[in-house]
Each structure stands twice: as structure tokens, then as C-alpha cells.
């Protein structure tokens, strides 16, 4: 139970802004169901975090959460990765492999970057979603699974469908519940909360005593547009914790791109000395 609570804390959704309150309400309604969820959003907005949160809030929380990054697996291997294979079914198949759908049986399968999946693989995934059964590569037997699928993409799937890169029927199968992740620039009120969270996290990891951000540094974080969203903010705070010489994060510890929005003010640099 203690480990489970730690896991829930790890995937806690941080934010008190209006967009995040609306997101929490949507997740609370969708999580207890078996409905498939399609998560949209720019890179770094926290799509994987939301997928984990949905699983932990669902009736499948005690069962596996299995993730597949569709963009990271070569085309010739993704079918084996998803559905498994039997020994000798292709060159390099030296032993039987259990696929991700089987690993996720009873639980949740997260298809990250689903927009990068090939049309051939899309057709096979569509069939599994419709029938909840499939044949591993090179096998003769059919496996039946009970899997809830959550997918995520940073692409405009409507546009991809028009270009012929994504199957419309698969889109409708995945898009039972649509969740839109707001970019960080539209929820600036959450930046102090996120910065404080990451500061405590990386101060503990690096065994540093950091009290917080100076007022000017906090102002810079609020004014910067964060094109890389939460992931960029997290990396910036981790870097600042590592570079900090004292117990406060000052302007000089944040990335140069963030400092540029300061407009050339240097009072804090002087104060820091």
C-alpha cells in the first residue's frame, strides 16, 4: 500500500489553473470506465503523466500499465513488439516473445505517439480493438485479451487522415474520450507550483539545500513562453539546482533563453555577488 501511494504521488497532476481544473474533472469521469482515451497535446505537456493517472484512477489500477512508444520502434519490429512472436518466425527471432498486448492483459496499454504508427500496423491494431484477439507473429493460435487502450499524439490526426497517413476508422476507435493537454503558456498560473515541485524533487535527488527562487528568477519563469512546455521547465529547474552555489536559485542559474526575457536587467546579478 505504501509503494502504491508513492506511485500515485509520482504521477500527481500539478496545477490549480482553470484548464487543469477542467482536465481533472474530465479524468475523474473517464478513468473509472473502460472507454478508450486519446490524449492530444504538444510535446512536453504531460501526456504520459495523464495516461498513468487515468490508469491509477481506474478499476484496472491493480493490473499492468504497459507503454509502447510507437515512434521509437522500427517498422519491421513493431508488430512483434505489440503482438509477440514465436521462435524462428523471422530472422533474429531466437526465442518466443510475449507482446505488449498480452503483457497488458487485464490492465492498460498506452500507445504513445500513435500518429507515427504505419498504416499496416494501424490495420492490425484496429482489428485487435474490435475483437480483443490477435495472432502473434509466426503463430497459428489466437490469443484473447482484455485491454484498455489509451493513446497519445502530438500530431493533428484530422490532418493526418486527410493526407492518408492515419486510418479514419482507427481514429474513431481510439477517440472515444478526447483529452486535450493545455500548453504551459496557457496556464502560467501553474508555473510557480510546477517550479516548486521540481525544485524540491531535484534538490532531494542531488542532496542540495535550496530554499527557493529569487523574485526576479520567478518573474523570468513566468514571462518565458516555454515552447518545450513542462519538460523544458523541469530540465531548467534541474539544471538550476545543480548549478546553484547558494541556497537560492538566481537569474544566472536558469538557461540563457529564459534570461533573455529579462530585457537586460542585472540588479540581481549584482545582489548575488
Amino acid at each position: 500500500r505504501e509503494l502504491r501511494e508513492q506511485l500515485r504521488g509520482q504521477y500527481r497532476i500539478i496545477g490549480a489553473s482553470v484548464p487543469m481544473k477542467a482536465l481533472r474533472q474530465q479524468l475523474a469521469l473517464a478513468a473509472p470506465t473502460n472507454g478508450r482515451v486519446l490524449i492530444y497535446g504538444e510535446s512536453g505537456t504531460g501526456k504520459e503523466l495523464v495516461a498513468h493517472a487515468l490508469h491509477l484512477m481506474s478499476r484496472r489500477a491493480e493490473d499492468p500499465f504497459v507503454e509502447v512508444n510507437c515512434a521509437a520502434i522500427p517498422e519491421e519490429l513493431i508488430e512483434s513488439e505489440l503482438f509477440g512472436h514465436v521462435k524462428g518466425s523471422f530472422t533474429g527471432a531466437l526465442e518466443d516473445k510475449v507482446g505488449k498486448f498480452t503483457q497488458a492483459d487485464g490492465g492498460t496499454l498506452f500507445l504513445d505517439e500513435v500518429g507515427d504508427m504505419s498504416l499496416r500496423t494501424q490495420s492490425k491494431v484496429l482489428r485487435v480493438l474490435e475483437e480483443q484477439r490477435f495472432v502473434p507473429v509466426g503463430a497459428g493460435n489466437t490469443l484473447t485479451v482484455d485491454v484498455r487502450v489509451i493513446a497519445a499524439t502530438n500530431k493533428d490526426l484530422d490532418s493526418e487522415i486527410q493526407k492518408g497517413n492515419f486510418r479514419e476508422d482507427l481514429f474513431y476507435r481510439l477517440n472515444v474520450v478526447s483529452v486535450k493537454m493545455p500548453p504551459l503558456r496557457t496556464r502560467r498560473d501553474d508555473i510557480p507550483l510546477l517550479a516548486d515541485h521540481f525544485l524540491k524533487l531535484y534538490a532531494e535527488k542531488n542532496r542540495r539545500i535550496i530554499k527557493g527562487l529569487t523574485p526576479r528568477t520567478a518573474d523570468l519563469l513566468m514571462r518565458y513562453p516555454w515552447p518545450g512546455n513542462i519538460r523544458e521547465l523541469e530540465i531548467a529547474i534541474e539544471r538550476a539546482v545543480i548549478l546553484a552555489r547558494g541556497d537560492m536559485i538566481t537569474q544566472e542559474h536558469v538557461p540563457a533563453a529564459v534570461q533573455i526575457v529579462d530585457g537586460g536587467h542585472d540588479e540581481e546579478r549584482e545582489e548575488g555577488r
Side-chain angles (χ1 to χ4, degrees):
R1 285 196 299 269
E2 183 178 342
L3 288 172
R4 191 174 297 120
E5 287 305 312
Q6 289 178 6
L7 187 63
R8 290 180 185 276
Q10 180 182 349
Y11 295 114
R12 181 166 56 95
I13 297 174
I14 296 172
S17 62
V18 172
M20 295 310 291
K21 289 178 180 177
L23 176 65
R24 282 198 189 86
Q25 291 176 351
Q26 188 177 17
L27 297 184
L29 291 173
T33 73
N34 283 319
R36 301 184 194 102
V37 179
L38 183 56
I39 307 170
Y40 291 93
E42 298 175 8
S43 294
T45 49
K47 297 186 292 294
E48 181 183 352
L49 176 71
V50 166
H52 276 281
L54 279 166
H55 174 71
L56 291 171
M57 294 164 62
S58 75
R59 297 187 182 97
R60 298 172 180 260
E62 305 295 326
D63 295 300
F65 177 92
V66 178
E67 180 179 354
V68 181
N69 187 327
C70 300
I73 303 172
E75 165 62 20
E76 62 273 15
L77 296 178
I78 193 165
E79 287 186 40
S80 168
E81 193 71 20
L82 290 173
F83 310 119
H85 66 249
V86 297
K87 180 180 179 181
S89 56
F90 55 87
T91 303
L94 304 179
E95 58 185 6
D96 291 353
K97 177 181 177 64
V98 176
K100 299 296 188 182
F101 269 97
T102 303
Q103 293 176 31
D105 190 20
T108 302
L109 179 65
F110 176 45
L111 299 177
D112 196 10
E113 304 300 349
V114 71
D116 292 293
M117 190 181 290
S118 71
L119 288 170
R120 177 182 172 182
T121 305
Q122 288 176 37
S123 66
K124 293 182 178 293
V125 170
L126 175 64
R127 187 173 306 167
V128 177
L129 296 183
E130 291 173 342
E131 304 175 358
Q132 290 280 293
R133 55 194 177 96
F134 59 91
V135 177
V137 178
N141 59 310
T142 299
L143 301 181
T144 301
V145 293
D146 172 22
V147 174
R148 182 190 193 182
V149 172
I150 298 174
T153 182
N154 60 9
K155 292 187 174 183
D156 180 352
L157 291 188
D158 288 327
S159 175
E160 293 299 304
I161 290 170
Q162 294 298 320
K163 295 175 184 177
N165 296 331
F166 201 83
R167 292 182 62 118
E168 189 172 19
D169 45 5
L170 177 58
F171 170 76
Y172 289 127
R173 287 286 180 182
L174 293 172
N175 196 38
V176 176
V177 177
S178 176
V179 173
K180 180 70 173 178
M181 296 299 299
L184 188 54
R185 61 184 174 274
T186 66
R187 42 177 293 216
R188 291 185 182 274
D189 291 347
D190 294 330
I191 291 175
L193 298 175
L194 289 163
D196 183 64
H197 168 75
F198 292 133
L199 192 151
K200 291 176 180 176
L201 175 67
Y202 287 106
E204 182 178 352
K205 283 187 175 182
N206 292 281
R207 299 182 179 180
R208 303 292 305 277
I209 298 175
I210 307 290
K211 293 181 180 179
L213 309 171
T214 62
R216 184 176 297 281
T217 307
D219 180 60
L220 288 176
L221 297 186
M222 288 290 289
R223 291 159 56 194
Y224 182 65
W226 299 108
N229 293 295
I230 299 171
R231 185 181 296 124
E232 184 183 7
L233 174 62
E234 178 178 3
I235 293 171
I237 296 298
E238 180 183 13
R239 173 186 184 274
V241 168
I242 292 171
L243 295 179
R245 290 170 295 181
D247 59 5
M248 296 293 289
I249 302 297
T250 64
Q251 177 177 338
E252 63 183 0
H253 301 137
V254 298
V258 180
Q259 296 182 39
I260 290 174
V261 303
D262 184 47
H265 297 296
D266 61 359
E267 292 92 338
E268 184 177 281
R269 292 176 184 271
E270 296 298 327
E271 291 170 3
R273 297 193 185 106

